Amino acid sequence: MTYLSRRQIFSGGIVAGAAIATNAALPAAAAAASPRFPGDPGPGNMYYGASCVASYGVPTLEKQLGHNLGVHRGYFVAKTNSTNGLVRQVADDHAKGRMPSVSTKVPASWADMAAGRQDTWLRALLSRLNATGGPVFLTLHHEPENDTGGKGMAPQDWREMNEHAHALTRTVAPKVSIVPILMQYTFARGSGRKPADWVPATPILSTDCYNAWSPTNGLQWRSLEDKMQDVLPYANGRPIVLGEYGCRTDKKNPGRAADWMQEAFDFARTNNFVSMSYFNSWQHSRFGSWELDAERLAVMKRIISGAHSLTL
């Protein structure tokens, strides 16, 4: 399998037109590098963290880890109460040293968003996020592939929505990075999808990526490295955010899931990934929960306390 070379990792990448001076709270080593986006942790470093189902909660996970999350994923919809909750999460994340990574659905079709017909809503959201004072990863309608088909809901509409939103950040919200999250399956050979139809010209590329194996579904056990080989060519040097990832424990092979998680982090860190969010939840888990058990929690604790896992 092909890794990106050290030269590609350290000299490649698209410098975001929206990039500003790195956040003052970043470690000195990261601040010394030219930022590719607001809050850039620097090549070889990572914001490492998770999303958490509400019944589990971030404080519980952080207590178990003995460490604050480097990144915190959250999911919202385009209604006033939900948007208020999104902004509150971002402010709380900044106070706790986490990189906020928030997704929201949008109030109209992707085509309407791309054409600027919802700019009042979008500008208001961007302005509120920018006013929180720190960098933010913002995703508009993550994993959109299963929601195509209606008017204004084609792949190119989603792509253009993200490009339009990124253009607005340059003047409205220079601390916000648009992070378009696609399914890893979209890039897989045999999916029948055309990744080029989906991938926006934004400074950051993002996908989810799960080891879908479970004891009951008969699917192949696959490494993150193996699955991401189809995605890397579309990054074209851009930093990558892993919006969601997960692996189930193989009770017949203790340590296998822990090894998977460590190898995933090592691969990601040396291949221009800048953030990883573990999907610590039972939701949308047809073949078994992704919730962390003792084995996976132990390896996450080791990784998050390491030198290459950063907080704001």
Side-chain angles (χ1 to χ4, degrees), residues 17 56 75 91 110 142 144 149 151 157 168 174-175 208 218 234 302:
Y56 192 98
Y75 307 89
W110 303 333
H142 78 284
K151 183 179 179 181
D157 297 319
L168 283 182
K175 297 175 185 175
D208 64 13
Y234 290 90
R302 181 172 71 242

Side-chain angles (χ1 to χ4, degrees), residues 176-201:
V176 177
S177 295
I178 299 298
V179 177
I181 299 177
L182 291 163
M183 300 176 184
Q184 181 274 336
Y185 178 70
T186 294
F187 299 84
R189 285 159 286 185
S191 71
R193 296 172 180 168
K194 296 179 179 179
D197 291 346
W198 286 100
V199 176

